[in-house]
Amino acid sequence: MVTTASGKKRGWFGRYVHWLHTKWPAGTVEKLPDVAPDGTTNVNGLYVVGDLTGVPLLKFSADTGAKSVKNILADPSFQKRTQNDNVIDVLIIGGGVSGFAAAIEAKKAGLTYKLLEASEAFSTIVNFPKAKPIFTYPTDMTPAGDLQFHEKSAIKEGLLEDLNEQITAHNIEPTYARVEFVKKIRGGIFEAKMAKSNVTHKEPMAADIPDMLKAHRVIVGIGRSGNFRKLGAKGEDLDKVYNRLFDPKDFTGKDVVVVGGGDSALEAAIALSTNGANVSVSYRKPEFSRPKPENVDKLNMLASNPSLDVSIEHPTSERVTTASGSFMREDQVKETCTHCGASLVGQPTEGNCPDCGHHYRKFEGALQLMMASKVKEVTEDSITITNSEGQDESFHNDAVFSMIGREPPLDFFRRSNVRIRGEWSGKFITVMIFFILFCFWLYHWKGEKAIPAIGMLQNVGQKVESVTGLNFIDEILSPDPDSILNRWFGSMESMMGDTMGSVMEGMKDQRGTFGVVLTSAGAPAFYYTLAYSIIVVTFGIRRIRRRRTPYIKTQTISLMLIQTIPLFILPELVLPILGYHGFFDSGASAWIADQIFPIVEYGHGREYWRSYGFILAWPLFVYNWFTNEPLYAWLLIGFLQTFVIIPLLIYRFGKGAYCGWICSCGALAETLGDMQRHKMPHGPKWNRLNMVGQFILWIALFMLLLRIIGWIFPSSFIGDLFYVMFTGKVHYESWPFFLKPIGLLLQVFNYQWFVDLLLAGVLGYGLYFMYSGRMWCRFACPLAALMHIYARFTQFRILSDKKKCISCNVCTSVCHQGIDIMNFANKGLPMEDPECVRCSACVQSCPTGVLTFGRIDRRTGVTIGKDKLAASPVQMVEMSVNGKKMPKRVEGLMNRGKKMDQ
Ligand SMILES: Cc1cc2nc3c(=O)[nH]c(=O)nc-3n(C[C@H](O)[C@H](O)[C@H](O)COP(=O)(O)OP(=O)(O)OC[C@H]3O[C@@H](n4cnc5c(N)ncnc54)[C@H](O)[C@@H]3O)c2cc1C
Ligand code: SF4
Ligand code: SF4
């Protein structure tokens, strides 16, 4: 047994799960409106700019703001608008960097516009901590439009001066009003509804602003500030509950509770305790995972000894507005005994009063951590917290700092009918249900009547046929391609007469390409694989065009080639042609073909489809192993693949060498699924679901054992058991009565249709547009599950340059394996979550170029290499410095921003 930080015991299974999947950071992704890279939304004419598009950086905000006006000007329906005095051209909501950048652009273009601001101009920046250093990433980027960042923008005060000078020069005046929502009325015009009162305003509300404002186009740049998240505890509305810390000295000697586990909470707690407050930090999780390690270290130091020299000169959180530290302590030192008033000058910092013996501490500050706890109730002078044991603890309390994050202003968007990412409308759910039903049908058809439930429907169809002579159900559910082709050819031949008929007959000669295709086309799998390959190639080309890094190009070409050549052309065309031309009739080639493509009565006369096994390894592709008779050649090839080649590949390049570069499931996920990647859910609960694949892997291993025993004792019960587990097609009626229920269950939950068709096919693809293309790969694939174990021993890492990381969470949000990459990056830790498939989305999307694929020495942790293939625009620049000139398109990419995933 091992004890966790929260005091819980962990058994061997818990330790295994922790080692493999649950020990990694599992942060979630903030919900944002669904915005296209050009700022457009599902509401035609409403643009979203700035932080809400995904990358929370000043330069991107200015860039998106200015570009939105350019997009509006280029919109033909805007150009044809009917000018009307009551309807302005553009309404800009939010006076931040993006809003002002848009306003400057609108003014330059001679549009009528209004910029509405709820609080004060650049209020987000005004609220930054004093003297906060400003990083204007990406350094090489010049935002579109006139709002730029000059040298003086290196600290907060200079930045504000710089921005204010520019808006004054352009004569841009905001109007102070809070917009509640916008709605579209007749004629494509928008109406903006103003709030009656403006609780957040610092500037007086505009007196002349009407209740409703009409505009042809709306640009929303209201930032992510939104509302502070609620504690969900009784009494949280009391005046003593704060969301920001202005002056920690106000709380010297007070009993304060800080709630939260991020940098804001930790910086507030450190500032308060170093200023003499008695602080309790309450956090709902057993460990801190989000804040910077240095903040956690400082907090732990103060918890063990509150008089240690700990300071925060530059708070990173805008909720903690002043620097703090031991340098502020001079005026809080208690030099007289609080009990008898005797002088303590010259006495140690803590001890007993020489006059009255009262225990004193010269610094009142103290800090205690209450991990895995939750605030239950706040009253005027006390607080009740449920501790990690589930018990309620009540104690004296003067103030509470609730630092548990903010909700982005989603209400504004919901009320304005703008879609929020990850929230499904009724229409979307209906479409998805039909898509899943389609997948049911597809896999039933492809697997040639594979799904039992659909088979039952077909029985109904046959009964209808016996009465009516018609069987529509059978035709729809399982059309036979062979008969369709024959019908088609029959009618072509009769249409074309004798001469053409004999030409067609010649074309059907199986030795020719056309004849081979015709025979292959007699099986549904042919059409399925053809469609699959076309999708991979089409969407692969789109991916290359969209992401434009050498890594993406090479990776996508590899996926397209593997899908089309060994997984389609080889078994459907090349091998049959070789076979028809006698290549496998004699000599060594005949012997090899007999071992790997056994002779059969159907199709091309040999099982060429087994060549999938060259690419798809066991236990993803089980059909070369789970055979009636052992196919020794395939067992040898498969063994080398699964237990020698793949582990070696993973040791050097990580699991992504297979999942991201070779596998056909990966090929579809990286091409068709490229724009769906942000839909993968994140968080600890989902990470636990990763164990489903382990479960399937252990079942596959168990079945392999049964299979081997079945081969050795062919007529044994074990052989039967394997067969029913695998196919569900065995008569269990003769089994002992206590095993019959298992037999019945296995008929439904057999490996072939439950894992291979339902999980990998129907749900894996059916949920593509709901949860991204890697549902099967992340949660259920047994080969991935095996590779996760190998990947725990890999040298592969995603390395990060911690000082460049701005904790924007873009990397985490685009990871379709649900990895919380930011939590490694902002601590400078090499990312080692075994789930990574090397898709490079995080590396390529990071706006500041923090991440690089590389390798470490597993013993020392030292970096031993970085990928030569540039996977991000930043690397493309760096890699071209030593050698060739930076390509023009790279400069373009840097400037355009890396927002394809947003
Ligand atoms: C602590 C902190 C440090 C940062 N440091 C950096 C840094 O070093 N470098 C960097 O590049 N970026 C940094 N950023 C990010 C940067 O501040 C943002 O990218 C930028 O301010 C976003 O601009 P915006 O126009 O999208 O939104 P904001 O600047 O947030 O402006 C939104 C405006 O809209 C107003 N508003 C909100 N709701 C309404 C409504 N309903 N009606 C009318 N008005 C409304 C708000 O009052 C606000 O003024 C930092 C952010 C924070 C919080
Ligand atoms: S490369 Fe990045 S985005 Fe892709 S799976 Fe790995 S961590 Fe996730
Ligand atoms: S590593 Fe991630 S969190 Fe850090 S800057 Fe890059 S995208 Fe943002």
Side-chain angles (χ1 to χ4, degrees), residues 655 680 774 777-778 788 815-819 835-837:
K655 180 194 141 210
M680 175 55 82
R774 287 277 188 183
C777 309
R778 174 180 174 189
H788 291 158
C815 179
H816 58 173
Q817 287 291 111
I819 300 170
E835 283 276 353
C836 177
V837 291

Side-chain angles (χ1 to χ4, degrees), residues 49-52 55-59 61 93-99 116-125 128-129 132-137 177-180 200 221-225 316-318 409 412 806:
V49 295
D51 275 8
L52 289 163
V55 187
L57 281 177
L58 295 161
K59 281 189 172 174
S61 295
I93 307 174
V97 172
S98 60
L116 300 182
E117 163 56 43
S119 172
E120 63 185 308
F122 303 113
S123 73
T124 300
I125 298 170
F128 281 2
K132 179 196 176 309
I134 302 295
F135 309 100
T136 42
Y137 287 126
R178 168 171 286 270
V179 182
E180 280 192 335
T200 55
I222 57 178
R224 289 197 195 182
S225 301
T316 49
S317 161
E318 111 285 12
F412 175 94
I806 50 158

